Amino acid sequence: MGVSERRLTILGILCEHAGAQAAETAGMEGLIYSPDVRLMRLLCAADIDHLLILNALWEGVDGIFVVGCPTERGYFRGCSELAQRRLQAMKDVLEVAGLPAERFRTLWIEASDGKGFVSFVNSFYEDIKRLGPWNGFRGKGE
Amino acid sequence: MNELRMILQREARRLMEAGQVDVVIGYARGPYAWTTAPFFAFNKNDCIHLTVSSFCTQNLSVYLPKVEGRVAIIAKPCDVRTIIELIQDNQVRRENVKILSFRCPGMLNPKVLEEKGVSPDQAGTVSSKDYPEALYDWCRVCIHREPPDADLKGEPRFLFEKTDYPMPADPTTLADRLEKKTPAERLNFWMGEFARCIRCKACMHSCPVYYGGGDQFDSIEGATGENQPAENFKIVLSFVHSLAGKCTECGACESACPVRIPLLALHIPMYRKMQQRYGGYEPGLSYDEVSPLLKAEPMPQIVEGG
Amino acid sequence: MGTQKANVYIPDLAVVEDIRVENPYTRTYALRFLDPLLARSFEFLPAQGAMISVFGYGEDSCFFSSSPSSRGKVEVTLPVSRGVSTALTMLEKGNMVGLRAPIGNGLPLEEMRRKRIYLIGHDSGLIPLRSLANYAVDNPTEFERIVVMGSFEEDTQLIFLSELLGVWPGHSIFDVRVFCEHILSPREGIRPGGIGELFDAVEPAPSNSYAVVSGPVPFMRDVVSHLIDRDFRDAQILLLLNRKLNCGFGICGGCKIGDRYLCLTGPVFNMAELRKLPPEF
Amino acid sequence: MLADVLIVKAKVKYWLEALLDKVEVIVPKFTGTLIEYAPFRRGEEVMLEFKTPVLSPKIFFFPKSERILKYQKRKSAVNVIPAPVETRGRVIFGVKPCDAKALLLLDKQLLRVGAPDPYYQAHRSRTTLVGLGTSQPFETEFSTSVGSSPFGEEGLDMLFYDLGKEFYVKVLTDKGKRLLDDNFTPAEEFHRKTAEEIKARAEAKASYSLNLERWQKYSPLEIFNLPYWSEVYLTCIECGACTFACPTSSNFRIVDVETGSEGERYRVWDAPTFERFAETSAGYNPRLTLKERFRDWVLEKFLFFPLEHKDINCTGCGRCIEVCPVKIDFRKVVGNVRFE
């Protein structure tokens, strides 16, 4: 493997109540996805600090996805809608700044939908693979 | 703008004499040519220092949450919008605030005027009518020249009919020029700009509707210690994201920046994106409509790729 | 001490030899300098401090809590707050930390010779006082009497329990009084009460004595007014102030009170000096 | 006695290009939005008339962030490598005389006896300062009234006076003399006279009465406790622009940056107006309110520093007023103190 073909790192931020459950369901159903995908769980997708996403991107994570509750059926009242709006704004910020907004994606899914989760992760992984690695900002600039 | 200054002084004095307010927050003449400085008038005699010119770039509503008692505030229309947002956010109570606002001709960049050979002595009178090309970027794109709420609104002594201030012939801003570039070029541009950043937090502290206070520049979760352009850019991006759906393009942050980083070229596109996505929402125009980022409703469907 | 280091910012490495849990929020770390020469020659005074660094987390100031006479090994005690002191709790025996020491002026041991010393401390304010108390244990002839006046908010916050209740009362020159405002589990030697009770029990007398006060600012203010009531002169009251230190050698200005730097002419100030300084204390 | 010389304006460029062979050269440059000091490259034009740059040459001696050390963690052991000090020669052209004086004031803070800052010391000793008399000062400049001058010679190695077509150059130190080459020609007496006149004119312009002599009548504590201080801070928005632009402020913080098992430690700027500036890690903040922090920032320069070093920690460059987002006039803050 050459330097340019280093393994991808993809960060998945899962909400406790839908994303993490969906990942669990996928595990129980025996569905697999790339081992380069690292998952972390938070209480709620609407609670994601913008610095979490920015920091990940800055450190050179190749792709970030957020999985949260489906629209209008959030675990907390309105959490999914709020999260969608907030993260959409985040995407806009990345676009405005000239950063690769396509490396950031969201999914709003039922806790029982393991298949949906895995197919999303796989297609995201393929897209990121096509985009190639992202090197972040470490060591750039002065 | 001389006439307007007289009216505002008179009104501030009247409010003081009537005991309706404890303090008037306004602008006074700044320490050197062109500039204005925020000024607190605690008694009626102080009111003669109050002034308004085409160079009042500070947003005075940043002081509202800090000041106790009943306040009269001189505010540009964009500042009034931030006051409305502060009231929505329960930072300020409407009954404690008297808003003295005016139809705004837009704020001018003294640098451009100096290049045109305008003398600083004219600072009190010059306006965008004479030099539309000197308008700041955010005033170029501004269409809300009238305050959405004011305690003097609707009275006939209001000056500056809208027709007096035509929109500048060329409303393109740095934001538009950047939008035409490729993402890589844009990123490169911003890296160059943020190499100058000295982390003084003036942008964050001069914004009335940003409550973060710039702690991210210090904390280990935020910027790393080394002053790298990328790190500075990251923190400012988090600032921009926090203001999505709240920024009224008042330009306080950019004019506060000691090293002149064009922050509004980040805020203006965000403003437009929010406007497009959420049915033309513009923050601070009414008391009832809250920021779309605070609404727990499904995302409005927009046509992709349009 | 005395010899100028080439680069004042570079900490000396030290190995954590022992970690002792004083209470849930406070730990004592026994450190030994990696450089054997430095370990042998290192000297400090009671109430002097150090900049302790956990690499990756930064630096924070702390006080030495061990006796200056125990050569080769130094102890620092830190209450867990944020940043470095939290990072320290993750360390294990054998890990390395950086130490820039000693910082500050320390207590004037020469002047305090053969005097009666009142050590008045509240909660973690006792940390630098322990250094002097242990010094007195090692050199009992130096002092006429050591009166340790410990005051605590709650008995879960008690620190240096074995010394307060065991080692120090066993010495003839020591008189140890510990008062707690709230006692959850009573034990011998700990009495209920605050500063007022503490002073009533001890009755400090100003003749031939020094009072060393350390603790939070409101506590120090209270104690000073009590001491003044009992005819202590300003010069007899030594206060240990606590400020943020960044550099430790008088540049950064974080510890500046008026024209005095805590890291150079502090942290020990007598009340007469403090009265001339801005009333920030 | 060092001979005074002349240099034709057009030749300054060639002189600096010749210097590039030996040393790094820093010149003021217009970088699109701002005049900044930046490295000079061959073939570039040199700005000979410019407004005082917003960021003073302090950034070359006490940079925004300076690497102190590097460390590597190996299991429980740590290896600490001090950051090397720079030794390459450097010439800064176009230094404002008040900024050179500011470096002398910084020396007092950063080169303390027994504990000199090694990085600052190295930067100082490797740099030759070529001054250029302030022809276009900030309108806020008040250097004459704090014992500095727009044509002051303190701290400089050479000082250029603008005589129209040519520069009259005062060579002040041996360090400056070493930079001379055949682009310079000897100066005449009338050149010196013209230079004196220029100096006198500029000094009269850069004056503002700070009434500091009134402060002598009061004790530091009295000044500190004046009710005046609770009035002047009101418009401050507690940013750090004034401190960071100030050529004499040396407040900093030390932070670590870690990547994996190794990292670096930096010394970064901090400002006394920031809320967290004096807060201890235990959360105790001796200067909790903005009033206290603002008072501290002003009095540190005009009261406490003079007590310690017998000199005002201000050179009157006017940058603090220029960069202040709310245009607090520090001249007035200091000059209009009400003693009652």
Side-chain angles (χ1 to χ4, degrees), chain D residues 28 37 48-53 56-57 92-103 129-138 141 148-152 154 156 159 315 317 319:
Chain D
Y37 288 105
L48 298 176
E49 267 180 57
F50 52 93
K51 263 194 122 166
T52 312
S56 79
I92 304 184
F93 173 76
V95 177
K96 295 295 167 192
C98 52
D99 293 341
K101 163 115 196 276
L103 289 172
L129 296 169
V130 180
L132 179 58
T134 317
S135 51
Q136 295 176 34
F138 286 131
E141 177 161 341
S148 179
S149 156
F151 282 85
E154 284 174 284
L156 284 171
L159 178 57
T315 59
C317 66
R319 284 192 179 87

Side-chain angles (χ1 to χ4, degrees), chain D residues 3 93 102 105 107 114 134 136 147 156 171 175 183 190 194 211 241 250 256 283 285 319 325 339:
Chain D
F93 173 76
L105 292 169
D107 286 352
T134 317
Q136 295 176 34
L156 284 171
V171 184
K175 228 174 165 182
N183 286 315
F190 78 92
T194 328
N211 301 323
S250 68
D256 280 13
N285 195 343
R319 284 192 179 87
F339 297 95

Side-chain angles (χ1 to χ4, degrees), chain D residues 25-99:
Chain D
V25 179
I26 311 272
V27 293
K29 270 187 194 172
F30 184 69
T31 55
T33 34
L34 203 69
I35 300 163
E36 295 174 276
Y37 288 105
F40 176 64
R41 282 183 226 311
R42 216 168 282 275
E44 281 178 341
E45 284 302 315
V46 186
M47 284 180 93
L48 298 176
E49 267 180 57
F50 52 93
K51 263 194 122 166
T52 312
V54 169
L55 296 181
S56 79
K58 173 173 96 164
I59 52 171
F60 295 104
F61 300 93
F62 179 65
K64 292 189 274 194
S65 57
E66 174 93 60
R67 189 177 293 126
I68 295 174
L69 59 86
K70 220 170 145 176
Y71 62 85
Q72 293 154 339
K73 287 187 193 167
R74 300 270 177 277
K75 284 186 184 163
S76 63
V78 181
N79 186 19
V80 173
I81 309 151
V85 292
E86 193 78 49
T87 51
R88 194 167 169 234
R90 184 168 64 179
V91 170
I92 304 184
F93 173 76
V95 177
K96 295 295 167 192
C98 52
D99 293 341

Side-chain angles (χ1 to χ4, degrees), chain B:
Chain B
M1 303 206 73
N2 259 332
E3 227 169 318
L4 176 61
R5 186 170 74 230
M6 301 313 290
I7 293 172
L8 287 173
Q9 276 183 15
R10 206 187 313 134
E11 182 64 18
R13 211 184 156 88
R14 190 183 64 76
L15 286 169
M16 274 284 183
E17 276 169 352
Q20 288 186 9
V21 295
D22 305 319
V23 55
V24 180
I25 305 177
Y27 301 95
R29 195 182 295 195
Y32 58 98
W34 307 111
T35 56
T36 55
F39 177 71
F40 287 50
F42 286 103
N43 56 53
K44 63 181 186 199
N45 297 331
D46 284 348
C47 290
I48 53 162
H49 297 299
L50 293 173
T51 180
V52 176
S53 72
S54 290
F55 310 96
C56 305
T57 46
Q58 299 101 351
N59 187 340
L60 298 184
S61 57
V62 72
Y63 299 116
L64 277 184
K66 299 179 192 170
V67 177
E68 283 171 16
R70 295 158 305 156
V71 185
I73 184 168
I74 295 175
K76 308 188 292 287
C78 43
D79 303 353
V80 176
R81 288 166 67 190
T82 60
I83 295 173
I84 291 177
E85 285 189 65
L86 286 170
I87 292 166
Q88 281 178 347
D89 291 352
N90 286 330
Q91 300 287 316
V92 182
R93 298 171 76 84
R94 180 67 184 91
E95 60 267 30
N96 288 344
V97 184
K98 285 255 181 292
I99 302 169
L100 308 182
S101 190
F102 49 91
R103 286 206 183 108
C104 177
M107 294 297 127
L108 302 182
N109 189 345
K111 283 249 159 67
V112 181
L113 289 178
E114 268 174 6
E115 278 167 22
K116 295 215 166 284
V118 184
S119 144
D121 304 335
Q122 290 172 272
T125 50
V126 72
S127 79
S128 65
K129 199 172 159 189
D130 320 310
Y131 299 97
E133 63 278 12
L135 278 173
Y136 279 112
D137 269 6
W138 53 94
C139 295
R140 250 170 233 273
V141 296
C142 173
I143 52 164
H144 299 286
R145 300 279 172 109
E146 281 182 72
D149 184 17
D151 290 305
L152 271 179
K153 199 182 172 186
E155 294 189 27
R157 34 190 185 152
F158 249 91
L159 300 178
F160 307 121
E161 288 306 316
K162 218 175 190 174
T163 48
D164 278 355
Y165 296 101
M167 293 295 289
D170 174 27
T172 46
T173 62
L174 178 63
D176 298 306
R177 292 197 290 281
L178 283 176
E179 214 170 352
K180 289 200 189 84
K181 292 186 178 176
T182 64
E185 283 171 341
R186 236 178 293 161
L187 191 57
N188 218 1
F189 168 81
W190 286 117
M191 285 300 129
E193 293 292 316
F194 278 94
R196 290 205 298 273
C197 177
I198 52 173
R199 299 188 172 180
C200 70
K201 312 179 191 175
C203 47
M204 299 176 176
H205 280 296
S206 62
C207 179
V209 289
Y210 181 68
Y211 309 127
D215 268 3
Q216 290 139 342
F217 269 131
D218 300 337
S219 71
I220 202 156
E221 296 84 17
T224 60
E226 195 182 5
N227 193 316
Q228 284 180 349
E231 293 299 319
N232 303 335
F233 190 33
K234 177 173 81 182
I235 303 304
V236 171
L237 282 187
S238 83
F239 167 63
V240 173
H241 181 240
S242 303
L243 287 179
K246 285 167 98 181
C247 178
T248 63
E249 298 181 343
C250 71
C253 51
E254 182 174 331
S255 54
C257 183
V259 290
R260 309 210 183 282
I261 296 171
L263 290 168
L264 262 286
L266 289 169
H267 286 306
I268 289 173
M270 275 310 286
Y271 186 95
R272 287 183 186 155
K273 279 183 190 280
M274 299 304 286
Q275 206 177 350
Q276 279 165 12
R277 187 159 284 119
Y278 300 108
Y281 172 79
E282 293 186 79
L285 286 182
S286 79
Y287 287 99
D288 314 318
E289 207 173 339
V290 296
S291 161
L293 289 199
L294 299 175
K295 271 190 198 153
E297 288 165 19
M299 292 269 288
Q301 292 299 313
I302 53 162
V303 188
E304 290 291 341

Side-chain angles (χ1 to χ4, degrees), chain D residues 201-274:
Chain D
R201 236 177 296 142
E203 280 182 357
K205 202 177 155 196
S207 159
Y208 186 97
S209 176
L210 289 180
N211 301 323
L212 281 176
E213 65 285 348
R214 288 195 301 160
W215 291 41
Q216 309 297 332
K217 288 182 226 148
Y218 299 87
S219 78
L221 213 54
E222 277 174 316
I223 296 172
F224 188 89
N225 286 327
L226 288 174
Y228 174 75
W229 299 114
S230 50
E231 299 162 16
V232 282
Y233 78 96
L234 284 171
T235 55
C236 178
I237 53 167
E238 51 191 299
C239 73
C242 45
T243 313
F244 294 164
C246 177
T248 69
S249 279
S250 68
N251 305 97
F252 63 81
R253 213 154 24 96
I254 292 176
V255 290
D256 280 13
V257 181
E258 193 164 56
T259 340
S261 64
E262 56 180 45
E264 286 163 337
R265 179 165 291 176
Y266 289 93
R267 183 190 70 188
V268 298
W269 287 357
D270 204 350
T273 36
F274 287 166

Side-chain angles (χ1 to χ4, degrees), chain C residues 45 56 142 202:
Chain C
L45 290 169
E142 288 273 303
V202 178

